[in-house]
Amino acid sequence: MNYEVNGLKRPGHKEFIFIILLVLLLIPALQHHLQVVKEPPLNGKFQLPTEPNLDSLNWESWFEGSFQVDLDNRIEQHVGFRSSLIRLNNQLGYSLYNKASAEGAVVGSGHEIFEEDYIKEYLGEYFIGENTWSKKVSRLKYIQDTLSKLNKTFVVIIEPDKASFYPDKIPLRYKHLAKGMNNYECFSGYLKAQGVNFLDLNAYFSTIKGKTEYPLFPQCGTHWSYYGATFGADTALDYLEELTGLELTNIRIRENVIPEQPRHPDYDIGLAMNLIFPIPHEPTPDPVIEFTDSKNTKKPSVLVVGDSFYFNWLNLGIPAKAFSSCDFWYYNKKITKSDRSQAGNVASLDFKNEILRNDIIIIMVTSRMLHNFAWNFDEQLYSLLKPGYNDKKESFSNQIRAYDVHFKKLVEDAKIRGISLEERIADEAEYLVYMDQKKNPEKYHSREEIVKQTENAIRNTPEWLANITQKAKKNQISVDEQIRRDAEWMYDQKAGH
């Protein structure tokens, strides 16, 4: 309806609503071009596509529809107030539905935020099998004993994790899932049984749970808090003293400073959620550490291979004060010195020299990363100390477990097939060995390797496998046994045995 005042028509309700909608549509465009309001950027790593343009427009892209999809994506990624709208959406999801917008994060009871992978590991979904851990720990024992003869100390440190520490706070949707054997339980059991030096900080944190002044894990973070990391470091130094017989630097918390904003990474998941309002949480202190040396204090050279939990020790300055040198190999790839300077890639180093020049070699790992223990470092170390070792299937198995995307695909595939994850990884490794043998036959020389190559060839050739299956039935043995017999017979015939 229009209204007439002094001969002039004023817009009615419909026209007024239309004008409002038009203005709302124009505001994002104006913001994009003029940047009227300065928006804080989103937290996290994002790679935005370039601004919308017509560079990719041609007849083919137009009729395929790829140009339209690409243009729509570019416009959406560069719309004005995009960051604010994302924060609004994330805030509504968290406030109304307890939804964590950060990738891989979930909200548990008491608004405790977890990385979902820790929960899956705790429940046993990523369990790589007892046989795998038995073999790995046997090799670790050999590594430890061999390094000991060289006057070097080898240690495994298992860092704590939130899911094991707060099983009661895991989101309700996981509570109905049956908990099976997990990597932490199996691995730690074999380490104890075989006498490998290891410090179980996961178990230690459970013993002091509820007895500390501040939280050992920040509510909105995935790592131990700086406060908790200090407890872990103090315990680790005591343990290293016990193992080596050396008197090491003593540390203690002189005071706990409560910053206005938690020190990174004590609020890392909270930041990654990109909310409008910060999540209320308990104070997370930034401890001020006092280091004490005596005339008998020794400062050994140390190599640490581990995950991101170590960075809290590094940021607190503990390695620089406690050791004469302490290189950190992040996931056995990137090198960080104790002064926090970056020093390139591990692959560029002389591996043997690096091992021999250090007094203590430590593998630090949290349970979330146990399935890819220890980013191939354990195999490299074993190969160095046991010349002639060459288990290509184990090498490929390690590669599978270390590549997170591929590993998780195999986790799901194992469920679909109704087999264990250990079996699925073994199958995949055998296939990779077979393909590698076909591509690089010169790498395979031993009888066992050539027999295995023939076995894989039989299994991957349908007509050959069908013939072997019939032969196995006739001989009243399993197909696997018949494949093995034929492969060994072929090798022996060729070798003239």
Side-chain angles (χ1 to χ4, degrees), residues 233-460:
D234 182 49
T235 305
L237 289 171
D238 287 345
Y239 181 69
L240 291 176
E241 279 191 335
E242 180 185 329
L243 278 180
T244 63
L246 300 175
E247 184 176 322
L248 302 179
T249 296
N250 288 318
I251 66 173
R252 74 176 186 90
I253 297 176
R254 191 172 67 216
E255 63 174 316
N256 285 299
V257 177
I258 308 297
E260 288 186 18
Q261 299 294 330
R263 183 178 179 183
H264 184 75
D266 278 356
Y267 190 76
D268 56 355
I269 307 183
L271 285 176
M273 287 171 64
N274 284 303
L275 303 175
I276 296 174
F277 307 109
I279 300 171
H281 57 273
E282 291 185 65
T284 48
D286 188 1
V288 178
I289 300 176
E290 182 175 277
F291 299 87
T292 306
D293 293 338
S294 74
K295 63 179 182 179
N296 296 319
T297 297
K298 304 295 183 184
K299 299 200 175 187
S301 57
V302 179
L303 171 63
V304 178
V305 180
D307 53 41
S308 52
F309 273 62
Y310 175 83
F311 284 115
N312 285 43
W313 285 4
L314 191 69
N315 294 337
L316 288 166
I318 294 170
K321 294 286 188 179
F323 309 122
S324 62
S325 70
C326 186
D327 286 358
F328 173 55
W329 293 2
Y330 182 48
Y331 295 151
N332 197 27
K333 291 181 179 179
K334 299 288 185 182
I335 307 164
T336 303
K337 298 286 187 180
S338 57
D339 63 1
R340 295 192 285 182
S341 63
Q342 302 298 304
N345 298 316
V346 172
S348 66
L349 300 174
D350 184 320
F351 185 80
K352 181 178 180 179
N353 285 346
E354 292 300 313
I355 298 302
L356 294 180
R357 77 176 184 84
N358 284 290
D359 303 308
I360 302 173
I361 291 92
I362 300 173
I363 298 176
M364 283 182 65
V365 60
T366 186
S367 64
R368 155 74 176 85
M369 298 295 174
L370 278 177
H371 65 266
N372 52 30
F373 182 91
W375 310 283
N376 208 42
F377 177 73
D378 53 331
E379 185 182 32
Q380 288 176 281
L381 201 48
Y382 188 70
S383 298
L384 171 68
L385 301 175
K386 192 175 179 65
Y389 169 74
N390 184 20
D391 188 338
K392 291 186 173 66
K393 181 178 175 181
E394 178 61 17
S395 179
F396 279 112
S397 296
N398 274 333
Q399 291 178 36
I400 292 165
R401 291 187 287 258
Y403 181 32
D404 216 36
V405 175
H406 191 193
F407 173 79
K408 288 179 179 177
K409 285 182 180 178
L410 295 186
V411 170
E412 296 306 316
D413 194 48
K415 291 179 186 176
I416 293 169
R417 297 190 185 193
I419 61 176
S420 71
L421 178 57
E422 185 173 31
E423 290 176 280
R424 183 64 189 90
I425 291 173
D427 289 346
E428 187 77 0
E430 284 189 0
Y431 173 74
L432 292 175
V433 170
Y434 168 67
M435 295 303 294
D436 189 52
Q437 286 173 326
K438 288 181 67 176
K439 186 176 179 181
N440 306 293
E442 71 282 356
K443 289 165 50 178
Y444 297 81
H445 307 292
S446 70
R447 181 180 190 274
E448 182 61 28
E449 287 175 335
I450 295 172
V451 167
K452 196 66 180 175
Q453 181 180 19
T454 306
E455 288 182 356
N456 287 330
I458 293 171
R459 289 190 172 91
N460 287 278

Side-chain angles (χ1 to χ4, degrees), residues 127-146:
F127 181 51
I128 58 176
E130 287 201 39
N131 188 51
T132 298
W133 283 120
S134 177
K135 288 180 179 179
K136 275 188 172 289
V137 174
S138 293
R139 288 193 288 270
L140 293 178
K141 182 68 165 88
Y142 178 88
I143 289 167
Q144 174 180 296
D145 292 347
T146 307

